[in-house]
Amino acid sequence: MTIYGTFDRDPHSPSAEPEGSQFRKVTLAPQSSVSIYGTIDGGVRHLTNATVAGSVTKIGSNGEYYNNRLGFKGTEDLGGGMNAHFHLEAGFNTGTGALDNKDGRVFNRLSSVGIAGPFGSIDFGRQPSVACKAVYAYEPFQYRYVHIIPLAGAVAGNNDGQVSRPFGTVDGPRFSNAVQYFGKFGGFTASAEYAMGEVAGSSSNGSAKAIGLGYTDGTFSIGGAYTRQNPNVATTGTPDYREQDQVTFGGAYKIGDIRIAGGYINTTTQTTVTNQAKNIWLGARYDFTRATSLTAGYYRTTLETSAREIARRNLLIVGATYALSSRTSLYADIDQAILHGLVSLPPGRQTRQTGTSIGISHMF
């Protein structure tokens, strides 16, 4: 989700890095720079009823708390408030060192180049979707624990040739081959994107288009996005492109050391029977001190076919962090998911999964 650069700070800034990070900068020429940054997360997670076989304990992950990443950002000042910029970001598994995807993409998380100015920023390539960026503003954990919390998999994005999630849309939350606009005007943000499907004989197959709008005054935030895409929903080798619509909206309120956030995602896919995936959530974070925070959230996900519920997941998660420094934090969480319908183990029977995680996250 590219928390650093894309969300936390102004994406048009030549140095949109996390607060407190020590980045290595290499000067290429006057008014040009390249930044190297990243995060690495290591820990242990235990989950009961992970499969029919039982529980599992693991270390290997792409980052339980923060997704692992190694990134490169560069900007060139063009004068007149304009700049050219690029952004490359790779993800990796802590336990094995492997890439975070099975398709062998080195810069799976982000690969874009663009130009920015007073009008905003226009970028080309693979990047987080408009819906992904909209949800960040009203997600209680702001895309931490993305492998537990369903929203990163629910927001619109490329399926990259496969449909693997029982909830949400297809494998998101990024679009490849996309052009995206992002503009900030006072407290308002506006965004739009068009992702080319690049399917011979059709301009719509595999494509996507979206718009987003948000507002914040520093205390109250509200936003939303609409996405229309035509993913391949086939489960066999024969492609089957279908229209898919997604609407998301939500808000957050921060007063003192408390932040409350909630939102909604509804995704409808037009197949032989209409499929609907709905996500609704509410949560809060409390900062006890500058170093210690506690966040809790409730997430309800349902999957419907022809208005009949066939699967449901209720998730409650509580997570705590303790900052050892501005770049290093200890984290721990406990979460419980109750599964119904076709996702229960075995299908048709309720399953209760309890997970615990503990680890360390470091930014560089």
Side-chain angles (χ1 to χ4, degrees):
M1 275 41 60
T2 317
I3 293 170
Y4 311 141
T6 303
F7 300 113
D8 278 352
R9 303 179 67 183
D10 185 353
H12 313 141
S13 167
S15 57
E17 298 96 6
E19 298 276 356
S21 293
Q22 300 299 315
F23 284 48
R24 188 176 125 217
K25 298 215 179 230
V26 182
T27 301
L28 301 180
Q31 299 177 319
S32 297
S33 66
V34 171
S35 300
I36 303 174
Y37 69 96
T39 66
I40 182 168
D41 177 305
V44 177
R45 176 163 174 80
H46 178 77
L47 180 66
T48 66
N49 296 319
T51 67
V52 176
S55 304
V56 65
T57 302
K58 66 185 182 73
I59 290 179
S61 76
N62 297 329
E64 292 293 352
Y65 178 67
Y66 264 169
N67 271 6
N68 298 332
R69 70 204 69 197
L70 174 64
F72 305 85
K73 298 182 68 173
T75 64
E76 180 186 17
D77 190 344
L78 302 177
M82 302 277 289
N83 73 69
H85 54 266
F86 75 87
H87 198 167
L88 299 170
E89 194 171 274
F92 58 92
N93 185 291
T94 306
T96 65
L99 293 174
D100 67 346
N101 64 95
K102 298 179 181 179
D103 300 311
R105 286 190 296 262
V106 175
F107 297 111
N108 178 57
R109 294 182 57 81
L110 210 152
S111 174
S112 67
V113 62
I115 190 167
F119 58 87
S121 181
I122 299 176
D123 294 274
F124 301 84
R126 179 173 175 84
Q127 48 203 310
S129 66
V130 163
C132 173
K133 295 178 180 179
V135 168
Y136 176 83
Y138 43 89
E139 212 280 82
F141 282 86
Q142 294 186 295
Y143 288 140
R144 277 70 164 177
Y145 298 111
V146 298
H147 304 289
I148 304 170
I149 295 170
L151 303 187
V155 296
N158 280 129
N159 64 353
D160 294 320
Q162 58 183 346
V163 178
S164 63
R165 297 183 185 274
F167 297 111
T169 57
V170 291
D171 285 350
R174 302 168 181 85
F175 280 119
S176 297
N177 308 313
V179 55
Q180 187 177 108
Y181 167 79
F182 183 92
K184 186 173 182 179
F185 310 96
F188 291 91
T189 57
S191 54
E193 69 190 343
Y194 177 71
M196 297 182 182
E198 300 190 358
V199 175
S202 173
S203 60
S204 63
N205 287 351
S207 69
K209 44 188 175 289
I211 56 172
L213 184 65
Y215 172 79
T216 182
D217 61 4
T219 299
F220 177 73
S221 300
I222 189 170
Y226 168 74
T227 307
R228 161 65 67 89
Q229 63 184 114
N230 291 74
N232 176 17
V233 299
T235 56
T236 62
T238 304
D240 183 13
Y241 294 95
R242 297 285 182 172
E243 289 185 353
Q244 183 169 270
D245 293 296
Q246 182 177 101
V247 175
T248 177
F249 57 84
Y253 181 71
K254 189 177 189 307
I255 179 169
D257 297 321
I258 299 176
R259 177 181 181 268
I260 302 171
Y264 176 75
I265 300 174
N266 183 38
T267 308
T268 303
T269 306
Q270 301 298 331
T271 58
T272 305
V273 291
T274 300
N275 293 326
Q276 257 189 327
K278 299 177 182 178
N279 285 267
I280 186 168
W281 65 92
L282 180 67
R285 185 187 76 231
Y286 180 70
D287 299 325
F288 292 93
T289 67
R290 290 177 60 88
T292 308
S293 294
L294 184 72
T295 308
Y298 171 76
Y299 301 80
R300 179 183 175 89
T301 308
T302 58
L303 184 64
E304 299 177 0
T305 299
S306 296
R308 182 178 65 87
E309 182 182 293
I310 60 173
R312 180 175 5 117
R313 179 180 188 246
N314 297 321
L315 172 71
L316 179 64
I317 176 172
V318 179
T321 59
Y322 179 76
L324 299 174
S325 70
S326 60
R327 294 183 293 147
T328 304
S329 295
L330 301 177
Y331 67 86
D333 100 280
I334 182 168
D335 53 270
Q336 186 170 88
I338 300 177
L339 309 180
H340 299 264
L342 62 84
V343 294
S344 56
L345 301 171
R349 295 180 59 184
Q350 177 180 304
T351 300
R352 188 182 300 267
Q353 296 177 320
T354 301
T356 53
S357 309
I358 186 169
I360 182 170
S361 181
H362 177 73
M363 300 185 298
F364 59 88

